[in-house]
């Protein structure tokens, strides 16, 4: 990266969102862009999360780009290594490598109102861009709780998203903190090899069977030779999930049957009534993320596993103390405690038009017009922004909808011509957010009786989209210029004249100060 490089578009992150944005930009004829990635390879969360048993809980043919179908998925629910390989494949097939800037973590982005561009400081140098697409993703920065005494723990400590592959768990006493999507995959993967596994559970999850299998050679050949069968399979998977949305968003009471299925899944593996009671949630299924596993409950029933139905509250040397007072001696602690979702660290590194950071603007809760544009941050868009998450389907569908919005955003800038920028009007942002939050009131995520990572510190759901993916695609089909303020920049001559005037004022001020001192 050159010291004063300027590009038309800077994309932050090279996961699904970042690579998807790069592909869409090329398809729109935009080739003057870079993809800034803090790590040394593409993949995003599928690069960072490499823990044992890591896999996707969305069917493979739905968890891939519609413009890059993959007929050769090995399993119906693919593992981390296959998804990461798919993203590497996308980077190669769509010729994105020349645009990638690895080891380039964004330190700060500052809007320059005179030049109508973003000044970007990275760990590998500085550059500027007319438009920034932030695709850092909500599952990129691990969250580790502040546990008293943790700093003095003599053993090994790491987060599931930063797995230490050099540390051998065999024969160790291991504590798993958390019972989210990562934990239910890690527990059955490491249970057979550890001496003792203690699972600290604050809230039990609802767990449905994971109907996973190898995709047969016949199926794969069929998809390769008749590509329409791949699209048909994807369409069927999508349609089923679209039909399920009503139960989550409008009629949570209909989820009672699903709860019975989840309880039957538990009863088949957990015969101990006391353990079954600890594992039974007291909230409506769907309020927290529904997890998929056919091996989690069988692992918990093994003699070397101890479930502590209470959160970790203190560490005393190698002794872990739960909130209920129970203790466990361990050699290693693994945190499966999620990510900074509603308080994304990237927000502290974006300085907008009024001198406030995005984190300051979002102090009362995240909100963005159509999940993409924040007021006061011109020509800045986010992929997987506020209220774009899903509780039952593939995020790739939402990402592609936002890529449609990005494409039209670029087209609108082209139509405006010259030095122009689009800044979301506060009234438009607030109106969009009011409609979203009003719809959210009836959903299972707000009425189900749980506390989840979907909610921010103020208890507001700023994460989930309260509708179908079809509705979101319709809402993001095009940019409505009435929802934006069009900013026009000064020409280079005017900017230089302003600088000269400022320098002259500073010189006169300095001269006056000197005369006053001499007097």
């Amino acid at each position: 990266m050159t010291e004063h490089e300027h590009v038309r578009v800077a994309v932050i992150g090279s996961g699904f969102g970042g690579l998807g944005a790069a592909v869409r930009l090329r398809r729109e004829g935009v080739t003057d862009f870079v993809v800034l990635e803090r790590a040394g390879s593409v993949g995003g969360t599928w690069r960072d999360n490499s823990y044992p048993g890591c896999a996707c809980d969305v069917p493979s043919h739905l968890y891939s780009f519609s413009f890059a179908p993959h007929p050769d998925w090995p399993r119906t629910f693919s593992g981390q290594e296959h998804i990461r390989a798919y993203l590497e494949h996308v980077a190669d097939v769509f010729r994105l490598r020349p645009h990638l800037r690895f080891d380039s973590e964004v330190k700060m982005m500052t809007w320059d109102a005179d030049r109508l561009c973003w000044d970007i400081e990275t760990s590998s140098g500085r550059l500027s861009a007319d438009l920034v697409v932030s695709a850092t993703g909500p599952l990129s920065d691990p969250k580790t709780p502040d546990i008293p005494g943790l700093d003095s723990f003599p053993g090994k400590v790491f987060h599931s998203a930063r797995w230490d592959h050099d540390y051998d768990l065999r024969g160790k006493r291991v504590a798993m903190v958390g019972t989210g999507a990562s934990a239910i995959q890690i527990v059955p993967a490491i249970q057979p090899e550890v001496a003792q596994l203690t699972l600290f559970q604050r809230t039990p999850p609802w767990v449905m069977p994971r109907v996973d299998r190898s995709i047969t050679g016949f199926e794969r050949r069929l998809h390769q030779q008749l590509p329409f069968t791949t699209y048909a399979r994807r369409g069927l998977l999508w349609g089923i999930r679209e039909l399920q949305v009503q139960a989550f968003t409008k009629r949570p009471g209909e989820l009672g049957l699903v709860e019975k299925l989840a309880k039957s899944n538990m009863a088949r593996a957990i015969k101990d009534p006391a353990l079954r009671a600890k594992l039974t949630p007291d909230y409506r299924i769907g309020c927290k993320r529904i997890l998929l596993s056919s091996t989690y409950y069988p692992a918990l029933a093994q003699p070397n596993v101890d479930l502590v139905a209470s959160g970790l509250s203190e560490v005393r040397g190698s002794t872990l103390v739960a909130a209920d007072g129970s203790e466990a001696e361990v050699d290693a602690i693994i945190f499966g405690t999620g990510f900074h979702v509603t308080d994304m660290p990237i927000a502290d590194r974006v300085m907008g038009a009024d001198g406030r950071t995005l984190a300051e603007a979002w102090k009362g809760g995240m909100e963005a017009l159509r999940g993409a544009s924040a007021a006061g941050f011109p020509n800045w868009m986010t992929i997987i922004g506020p209220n774009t998450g899903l509780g039952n389907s593939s995020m790739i569908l939402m990402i592609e909808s936002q890529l449609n919005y990005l494409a039209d955003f670029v087209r609108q800038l082209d139509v405006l011509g010259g030095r122009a920028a689009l800044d979301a009007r506060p009234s438009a942002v607030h109106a969009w957010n009011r409609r979203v939050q009003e719809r959210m009131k009836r959903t299972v995520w707000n009425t189900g009786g749980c506390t989840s990572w979907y909610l921010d510190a103020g208890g507001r759901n700023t994460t989930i989209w309260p509708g179908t993916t079809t509705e979101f695609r319709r809402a993001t089909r095009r940019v409505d210029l009435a929802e934006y303020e069009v900013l026009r920049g000064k020409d280079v001559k005017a900017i230089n004249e302003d600088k000269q005037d400022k320098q002259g004022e500073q010189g006169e001020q300095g001269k006056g100060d000197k005369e006053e001192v001499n007097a």
Side-chain angles (χ1 to χ4, degrees):
M1 187 183 299
T2 59
E3 182 66 20
H4 299 291
E5 181 180 13
H6 179 83
V7 294
R8 185 177 183 191
V9 184
V11 179
I12 318 298
S14 66
F16 269 99
L19 295 183
V23 172
R24 193 57 187 266
L25 287 171
R26 284 185 62 93
R27 288 191 162 187
E28 291 297 315
V30 179
T31 57
D32 182 19
F33 70 90
V34 295
V35 180
L36 302 173
E37 170 55 57
R38 65 183 177 184
S41 61
V42 302
T45 193
W46 294 106
R47 175 199 59 236
D48 297 340
N49 286 269
S50 59
Y51 57 79
C54 184
C56 190
D57 57 6
V58 175
S60 304
H61 287 87
L62 192 58
Y63 201 77
S64 47
F65 290 121
S66 63
F67 55 79
H70 188 46
D72 207 32
W73 287 113
R75 303 193 65 82
T76 52
F77 290 89
S78 291
Q80 173 264 344
E81 68 276 16
H82 301 120
I83 298 173
R84 184 178 180 184
Y86 170 77
L87 290 171
E88 294 280 3
H89 175 72
V90 168
D92 290 331
V93 168
F94 291 93
R95 302 189 301 278
L96 303 181
R97 298 288 177 186
H99 301 279
L100 295 170
R101 303 287 190 272
F102 293 125
D103 302 311
S104 298
E105 180 178 8
V106 171
K107 301 296 186 180
M108 200 68 195
M109 291 179 274
T110 305
W111 176 249
D112 187 318
D114 287 334
R115 294 160 53 227
L116 289 191
C117 70
W118 287 93
D119 287 320
I120 307 170
E121 179 187 353
T122 80
S123 56
S124 63
R126 303 180 69 92
L127 75 158
S128 58
D130 296 328
L131 171 64
V132 167
V133 180
S134 180
T136 57
L139 305 182
S140 57
D141 292 284
K143 178 184 289 186
T144 301
D146 185 14
I147 306 295
L150 182 61
D151 291 343
S152 61
F153 179 69
K156 191 70 178 179
V157 180
F158 53 87
H159 192 280
S160 60
R162 301 292 184 267
W163 196 270
D164 189 341
H165 291 277
D166 294 328
Y167 184 76
D168 190 355
L169 292 174
R170 287 177 296 181
K172 300 292 196 309
R173 299 168 299 175
V174 180
M176 180 78 228
V177 182
T179 52
S182 299
I184 71 158
Q185 294 179 345
I186 294 170
V187 166
I190 68 174
Q191 175 270 320
E193 63 183 39
V194 302
Q196 182 68 33
L197 178 58
T198 303
L199 177 62
F200 287 83
Q201 170 193 273
R202 277 196 312 178
T203 308
W206 285 104
V207 182
M208 294 288 287
R210 188 168 182 262
V211 188
D212 186 25
R213 64 172 178 84
S214 297
I215 297 179
T216 66
F218 171 76
E219 291 174 278
R220 292 156 78 170
R221 288 192 298 273
L222 180 67
H223 293 328
Q224 289 169 355
Q225 295 171 13
L226 300 174
F228 77 88
T229 62
T230 303
Y231 290 105
R233 186 171 189 163
R234 176 187 175 90
L236 178 62
L237 293 168
W238 165 78
I240 292 172
R241 282 155 180 78
E242 288 290 272
L243 293 174
Q244 296 171 346
V245 172
Q246 293 289 339
F248 287 86
T249 59
K250 295 181 179 179
R251 295 187 290 272
E254 295 181 356
L255 293 167
L257 176 60
V258 185
E259 288 183 3
K260 292 180 180 179
L261 294 174
K263 288 179 179 178
S264 297
N265 180 44
M266 182 197 306
R268 281 192 294 270
I270 306 297
K271 305 303 181 183
D272 179 5
L275 179 57
R276 200 156 56 233
K278 291 181 180 179
L279 292 169
T280 302
D282 61 358
Y283 55 89
R284 175 64 77 189
I285 193 170
C287 182
K288 293 168 74 76
R289 184 175 175 181
I290 300 175
L291 307 182
L292 302 181
S293 177
S294 298
T295 56
Y296 178 64
Y297 288 139
L300 294 184
Q302 299 306 307
N304 68 330
V305 178
D306 181 29
L307 176 69
V308 178
S310 181
L312 177 62
S313 65
E314 187 181 357
V315 177
R316 300 172 186 163
S318 59
T319 302
L320 272 57
V321 183
D324 64 3
S326 57
E327 300 181 355
E329 293 282 330
V330 301
D331 304 305
I333 305 173
I334 303 170
F335 284 100
T337 45
F339 300 84
H340 289 275
V341 176
T342 60
D343 58 341
M344 293 185 288
I346 189 67
D348 287 309
R349 307 180 184 189
V350 184
M351 183 75 72
D354 61 358
R356 289 191 304 167
T357 66
L358 185 61
E360 291 170 330
W362 280 352
K363 190 174 181 180
M366 299 190 302
E367 57 179 24
L369 177 61
R370 303 182 189 275
S373 301
F377 298 83
N379 280 12
W380 181 90
M381 296 186 65
T382 180
I383 306 295
I384 314 184
N387 290 112
T388 60
L390 294 176
N392 75 311
S393 192
S394 173
M395 279 305 302
I396 312 305
L397 301 169
M398 301 296 278
I399 288 173
E400 290 196 27
S401 292
Q402 291 198 289
L403 298 184
N404 291 340
Y405 198 70
L406 167 64
D408 198 50
F409 196 99
V410 172
R411 293 187 207 114
Q412 295 294 342
L413 289 175
D414 286 341
V415 170
L416 289 170
R419 299 174 56 77
L422 295 176
D423 187 8
R425 296 182 183 277
S427 58
V429 175
H430 297 330
W432 169 263
N433 190 62
R434 280 196 302 272
R435 292 195 295 270
V436 169
Q437 293 303 323
E438 185 62 32
R439 294 184 62 180
M440 195 71 70
K441 290 178 181 179
R442 298 173 58 186
T443 68
V444 69
W445 306 299
N446 278 35
T447 65
C450 73
T451 299
S452 72
W453 56 266
Y454 300 149
L455 309 180
D456 63 18
R460 194 175 63 163
N461 193 327
T462 57
T463 306
I464 298 294
W465 167 246
T468 65
T469 62
T470 302
E471 289 175 293
F472 189 75
R473 178 147 302 196
R474 191 180 304 121
T476 53
R477 183 178 294 122
R478 66 180 182 84
V479 171
D480 181 358
L481 283 182
E483 296 181 326
Y484 287 86
E485 180 183 357
V486 178
L487 306 180
R488 289 291 184 179
K490 302 176 181 179
D491 58 29
V492 175
K493 180 180 179 181
I495 294 173
N496 289 334
E497 288 176 352
D498 282 351
K499 288 182 178 179
Q500 290 173 1
D501 289 342
K502 290 179 181 178
Q503 290 172 353
E505 290 173 2
Q506 291 172 354
E508 289 297 322
Q509 180 66 46
K511 180 180 178 182
D513 291 344
K514 185 176 181 181
E515 291 174 348
E516 184 176 341
V517 170
N518 290 337

